[in-house]
Amino acid sequence: MNQTYGIAGVSAVVLATALVGALGLRISRTTSDFYVASRTVAPRLNAFAVSGEYLSAASFLGIAGLLLAQGVDMLWFPIGYTAGFLVLLAFVAAPLRRSGAYTLPDFAEARLESRAVRRIAGVLVVGVGWLYLLPQLRGAGLTLRLLTGAPGWLGGLVVAAVVTAAVAAGGMRSITFVQAFQYWLKLTALLVPVVFLLAAWHADRAPLPTWDERPLFHRSTEVRVDRPVTVTVQEPVRVTATGSIDGHPLREAALTLTEGRHHIGAHTGLRFPPGAHVPLPDRATGSASLAPSGAEHGLYATYGLILATFLGTMGLPHVVVRFYTNPDGRAARRTTVIVLGLLGAFYLLMPLYGSLARLYAPDLLLTGDTDAAVLVLPQRLLGGVGGDLLGALVAGGACAAFLSTASGLTMSVAGVLAQDVLPALGLRHFRLAVVPAIAVPTAAGTVVGGLPVADAVGLAFAVSASSFCPLLVLGIWWRGLTPPGAVAGLLLGGGSALTAVTTTITGGTRSGWTHTLLAWPAVWSVPLGFTAMVLVSLATRRRVPAGTAATMARLHLPEGRV
C-alpha cells in the first residue's frame, strides 16, 4: 500500500472525526447532554450511531481475516453479531430504556436496591470494556504498521490520544454525531472498493477459492517473513529463498520444502510459484486463533461462539448505553429494528472480502497478518494509482472502525469509573476517568497483541453473555430476583468467564479440553450464571426488594401510564 495515500486517508478521517465532534460539542450544554445526550436522540440517528460503534475492528478487519484463515465456518461471527440484536429487541431494549438508568450498574442498583450488586456490575463493565478495547487498539496498530512501518504499539497510542480528547471534550452528544458519520464512512469504505475488486476478479476469469483444503498461491507471490516462524508442509513445495531456512543461509536459492516442519528465519524472503500450497505456521509459533474450525473440539467451540455472540450483545456496555439516549421505550425498539437492517447491509460484504483474500492474499497466512486482508486487497487486485486510492479509502474506514468503537467503550468505562470509583464531582472527574479507561488496555495491548482481532472480541462477548445477559433477562422479566441471587450469578457466571478468558489471552493453556473450555466458556458459564441467580434467589425469597412491584411496572408499562 502506498504510504502517502494511506496516511492521507487516515488523516482525513481523524480530521473529519474532530470536526463532527466539534459540532456536537457546540450543542452540548448540560450534564445530561454529556452522559446521555439529554435522552433526545431520534431512532434513526441513534441507529446510525449504534451501528457505527458496534461495527468495530473485529467486523471491519477481523471477519475477513478469519474467513481467509479458517473458511466459511467463520460466518458464524457476523450471524451472531447481528442476531444478538434480535434478542436485544425482544427482551431488553424498551424496558431498559424505561428504567431511566445511565449505565448498567445504575440499572442493577435501581432494580435490586443493592450497592453490592452495583459494585460487582461495575467491575464487570470495566472488564468487558477493556477486553473489547484490546482488539480496537490492535487494529489501529496493524493499520499504522502497514501504512508507515511504525511499530504496532504506536497506532494504539495515537488512537488512545484521539479518543481521550474526543470523549473528554464532548461526551455522548458529540460522540453520537461522530459514530453516525463513521457508520456511513465504514460502509462506503467497503462498498466502493468491492465493486472494483469484483470487476478485477471477473477480468481474471473469476477463479473460485478452495475451502476444503489448504489455500493455494493463485499467482507467483513473494513473501517476506519478518519474524521467525515454524511451518508445516503437507506436500512438497518449490520456493526461491533469500535468508535462512532450517538454519541454512540462502541467497536466491531454488529449493523444495519437503513434507514436515521447517523453520524460517527472520527477514527471509520467499517466492512461490502459481499453484503452490501455502505452508501454514504451527499453532505453537503462529498467532493463537480461537476460531472454531481450528479448534480441537470444533463442535463445542462453535456452540460456544454462537452462545457468546447471540447473548453477549445485550450486555455490551457501549451498546446498552446508547439506548438510554432514546426518548422512550418505543423509540428504543425502533432503533433496534433499524440497526438490524444496517448491520445486515454491512455484513453482506464480508464474505466477498474473505473469498477474495483466500485467492489473492494467502501469503498473510504465512506471515500471521490475516487481519490485514481487507487493507491489502486493493493493491493486490488493482495496483497503480487506483489501487492506492481505494487502499486509502479502506484504511480510512478501518480508522473509523476502531475510533468509533473505542470512543463508545471509553465513554461507558469512564462513566462507571467516574460514578463508582472516583468521588462524584460531576464532569471534572468523568474527564479524569477517561485517562485510565483507555490507558489500561493500551498498556495491556503491548503484552497480548498476538491474538486475532475477531477472537479477542469473541472473548468479550463471552463475559458479557455470562454476566449481564442473566442479570438483564431475569431482572426485567422475573420479579423474584434477589440481590444475593444477582451477586451469586454475576460472580459465578461473569467472574468465571472473565477468569477463563484472561487465562486464554495470557497463554495459560494451549491445547486439550482445558484450553477448549477456557477459550469458549459461554457453553458452561452462561447456564452457570442463570442457575446461580435462580437458585440463590429462590433460597432468599424474603430478600426481594420492597420496591420491586413499582420497578417492574415502570419497566413494562408504556411511558405516561406508570
Side-chain angles (χ1 to χ4, degrees):
M1 183 186 301
N2 185 289
Q3 292 185 358
T4 302
Y5 286 91
I7 293 172
V10 171
S11 300
V13 170
V14 173
L15 179 60
T17 298
L19 292 175
V20 175
L23 170 64
L25 180 60
R26 291 182 62 186
I27 59 177
S28 184
R29 301 275 189 259
T30 66
T31 300
S32 183
D33 273 341
F34 203 87
Y35 283 110
V36 289
S38 293
R39 306 188 193 274
T40 58
V41 181
R44 187 175 300 176
L45 176 60
N46 208 23
F48 297 157
V50 171
S51 302
E53 71 174 351
Y54 189 64
L55 294 171
S56 64
S59 296
F60 197 94
L61 301 176
I63 292 175
L66 285 179
L67 284 170
L68 161 63
Q70 303 292 341
V72 294
D73 288 348
M74 297 304 94
L75 290 175
W76 276 117
F77 274 97
I79 290 171
Y81 290 157
T82 307
F85 274 90
L86 282 174
V87 182
L88 187 68
L89 173 65
F91 296 107
V92 173
L96 189 63
R97 167 58 190 90
R98 295 187 189 114
S99 70
Y102 283 94
T103 63
L104 279 170
D106 283 344
F107 168 81
E109 183 179 24
R111 169 63 180 83
L112 296 163
E113 302 174 15
S114 168
R115 292 290 297 178
V117 177
R118 180 191 180 99
R119 293 190 190 98
I120 296 171
V123 170
L124 289 168
V125 165
V126 173
V128 171
W130 283 345
L131 274 174
Y132 214 137
L133 276 165
L134 283 174
Q136 314 315 315
L137 299 172
R138 168 171 161 75
L142 174 66
T143 303
L144 191 64
R145 177 165 62 82
L146 287 175
L147 292 178
T148 67
W153 57 265
L154 183 59
L157 194 62
V158 170
V159 168
V162 173
V163 168
T164 299
V167 174
M172 183 62 76
R173 178 73 74 181
S174 177
I175 293 301
T176 296
F177 291 105
V178 169
Q179 291 171 338
F181 158 74
Q182 287 172 335
Y183 168 77
W184 292 106
L185 175 60
K186 283 181 278 191
L187 185 63
T188 302
L190 290 180
L191 185 58
V192 172
V194 84
V195 173
F196 293 93
L197 295 178
L198 289 176
W201 168 74
H202 187 269
D204 194 30
R205 300 184 180 181
L208 298 177
T210 57
W211 298 107
D212 297 331
E213 58 184 34
R214 290 194 172 200
L216 304 172
F217 287 105
H218 178 63
R219 300 170 172 172
S220 178
T221 304
E222 293 190 9
V223 183
R224 179 175 175 81
V225 178
D226 291 327
R227 54 184 179 272
V229 62
T230 299
V231 299
T232 299
V233 176
Q234 291 187 344
E235 56 184 75
V237 177
R238 293 288 298 171
V239 63
T240 302
T242 298
S244 68
I245 296 180
D246 296 329
H248 303 295
L250 303 168
R251 184 174 180 84
E252 288 294 324
L255 69 154
T256 299
L257 298 179
T258 58
E259 294 182 22
R261 301 175 71 200
H262 297 274
H263 182 75
I264 302 175
H267 309 298
T268 296
L270 305 168
R271 186 165 66 249
F272 294 89
H277 283 88
V278 180
L280 300 182
D282 288 358
R283 180 180 296 181
T285 59
S287 59
S289 175
L290 304 183
S293 64
E296 294 176 280
H297 308 283
L299 182 60
Y300 170 89
T302 298
Y303 281 118
L305 173 62
I306 291 171
L307 275 175
T309 52
F310 276 46
L311 302 180
T313 301
M314 70 174 68
L316 294 177
H318 64 303
V319 171
V320 169
V321 74
R322 291 235 53 98
F323 289 95
Y324 300 141
T325 66
N326 279 123
D328 51 41
R330 184 183 178 202
R333 281 203 176 101
R334 290 182 60 195
T335 294
T336 310
V337 172
I338 298 171
V339 167
L340 284 168
L342 296 174
L343 295 184
F346 182 91
Y347 283 131
L348 284 174
L349 301 173
M350 290 298 100
L352 299 176
Y353 277 92
S355 299
L356 291 173
R358 189 89 171 180
L359 285 168
Y360 298 103
D363 55 289
L364 299 178
L365 293 168
L366 181 56
T367 62
D369 287 330
T370 54
D371 287 329
V374 172
L375 297 170
V376 304
L377 279 174
Q379 191 58 238
R380 296 289 178 90
L381 272 80
L382 300 170
V385 176
D388 290 334
L389 289 173
L390 292 175
L393 179 60
V394 172
C399 179
F402 42 72
L403 278 178
S404 59
T405 304
S407 298
L409 287 165
T410 303
M411 182 83 194
S412 59
V413 172
V416 172
L417 292 177
Q419 292 185 47
D420 298 317
V421 177
L422 297 172
L425 295 180
L427 296 184
R428 177 187 173 191
H429 273 207
F430 174 86
R431 291 188 169 103
L432 291 177
V434 170
V435 177
I438 190 70
V440 171
T442 302
T446 62
V447 180
V448 295
L451 194 65
V453 168
D455 286 344
V457 168
L459 296 176
F461 271 77
V463 177
S464 173
S466 305
S467 52
F468 296 120
C469 173
L471 178 67
L472 289 169
V473 170
L474 295 177
I476 289 172
W477 296 100
W478 185 41
R479 64 179 62 245
L481 182 65
T482 65
V487 168
L490 289 173
L491 290 179
L492 290 176
S496 61
L498 185 59
T499 302
V501 302
T502 302
T503 303
T504 301
I505 289 176
T506 55
T509 59
R510 289 286 183 179
S511 61
W513 266 109
T514 302
H515 167 73
T516 302
L517 292 170
L518 294 178
W520 294 274
V523 173
W524 53 267
S525 57
V526 172
L528 181 61
F530 272 104
T531 301
M533 284 193 187
V534 171
L535 292 181
V536 175
S537 293
L538 291 175
T540 57
R541 289 186 179 93
R542 296 182 179 179
R543 298 285 302 276
V544 173
T548 296
T551 302
M552 296 297 283
R554 184 168 70 251
L555 294 178
H556 294 284
L557 291 177
E559 287 82 354
R561 297 182 60 184
V562 182

